[in-house]
Amino acid sequence: MELWYTDQHTDDVRFSMKASVQVASKKSAVQQIDILDTPAYGRVLVLDGGLMTTEKDEFIYHEMITHVPMAVNPNVRNVLVIGGGDGGTVRELVKYRKIESIDLVEVDKDVVLLAKKYLPFTSSKLKDKRVSVWFEEGLRYVRGKKAEYDLIIVDSSDPYGPAEGLFTREFYGTCFKALRDDGILINQHESPFYHAHQRSVRDAHRHIAVEFPVSTVYQCHIPSYPSGHWLFGFASKKYHPIDDLDAARWNKLSISTRYYNTDLHRGAFALPNYVKELLNQ
Ligand code: SPD
């Protein structure tokens, strides 16, 4: 008998991958966590039935959420990652010697524990001495922080269930206060493609644009995510994502990446018309 995992992308669209074995299954205090081995996508992490990350294409997501802001602001020293308990974003951040501290705030301790055990490459740098892991709700953690961070990365799950509060105007306002004067906020911004997700994309963009003087989105292709067309939000108090990109300086760092490069950085901000219309509605 064959085992298949299906991610429900919309009421009318499903995405299935064959699985060879269910490696872990746990009902945590926050959500149902499953880890499966699949021939096509390697080991995959599933939260409450929804696909979060796969060994095959996680590099695209984690490189794009990290290196875009790091190539724009050379002075990043203190970083806050909200969500991201699998460790993929931290793995990319620790490539920068200038970063002094990374606070990872993950609501579900079991995600971190299971990632350490079953996703060894993705979670490999959670033990870096610059990393502190806090098990708390992101919104609660960031409330009351004032000008502490140069970069906040919101590496959340989808905008319902445990991550709902991370797509609200209140949350973006607290992030603005927690950032220094040249701070950057990056958030995973969902897919603009299916009608079912467009409202959350538009609302998130609208809420962020109220708080930050610079606010736009950039895109990449993540095959295992709904429609494959994925957006990230780039919001900043000062830096423009392309005008302030210093490609020569970033390339001199010789950071090894499989997806991100500085040509792609510029191109990622060139948006299809349907996305521009969605954001401007
Ligand atoms: N629909 C899937 C969206 C998941 C975004 N977050 C993934 C977390 C990987 N660190």
Side-chain angles (χ1 to χ4, degrees), residues 82 105 107 135-145 165-166 170-171 174:
I82 296 180
V105 180
V107 70
F135 297 114
E136 202 177 330
E137 272 181 18
L139 179 55
R140 185 183 297 198
Y141 178 92
V142 83
R143 262 189 207 132
K145 304 266 180 227
L166 305 180
E170 184 204 351
F171 173 68
T174 58

Side-chain angles (χ1 to χ4, degrees), residues 18-35:
K18 196 172 172 179
S20 46
V21 61
Q22 184 164 21
V23 176
S25 181
K26 171 151 197 173
K27 178 112 190 100
S28 75
V30 179
Q31 60 208 335
Q32 174 65 37
I33 308 171
D34 291 289
I35 301 181

Side-chain angles (χ1 to χ4, degrees), residues 167-224:
F167 289 81
T168 59
R169 187 168 160 197
E170 184 204 351
F171 173 68
Y172 301 128
T174 58
C175 288
F176 185 90
K177 290 187 192 121
L179 285 166
R180 299 202 173 101
D181 287 345
D182 58 354
I184 297 176
L185 170 72
I186 301 291
N187 72 317
Q188 82 83 358
H189 214 95
E190 299 287 304
S191 173
F193 187 73
Y194 292 118
H195 179 72
H197 308 139
Q198 288 177 343
R199 189 172 171 181
S200 43
V201 169
R202 197 183 54 226
D203 288 354
H205 179 68
R206 193 180 285 163
H207 293 324
I208 296 171
V210 170
E211 302 293 340
F212 286 82
V214 179
S215 171
T216 185
V217 304
Y218 59 99
Q219 59 184 2
C220 69
H221 176 237
I222 303 178
S224 68

Side-chain angles (χ1 to χ4, degrees), residues 73 75-80 98-101 103 145-152 174-185 212-213 235-239:
N73 179 1
N75 300 314
V76 168
R77 298 282 187 278
N78 308 107
V79 186
L80 171 61
K98 275 190 171 179
I99 290 181
E100 292 166 2
S101 71
D103 287 323
K145 304 266 180 227
K146 298 265 181 305
E148 283 188 31
Y149 296 102
D150 306 302
L151 170 63
I152 297 177
T174 58
C175 288
F176 185 90
K177 290 187 192 121
L179 285 166
R180 299 202 173 101
D181 287 345
D182 58 354
I184 297 176
L185 170 72
F212 286 82
S236 157
K237 296 190 180 185
K238 174 179 153 182
Y239 292 109

Side-chain angles (χ1 to χ4, degrees), residues 51-53 61-62 86 155-156 158 188 225-226 230:
L51 184 74
M52 282 303 116
T53 194
Y61 178 96
H62 293 123
D86 53 63
D155 179 6
S156 70
D158 299 307
Q188 82 83 358
Y225 280 5
W230 208 253

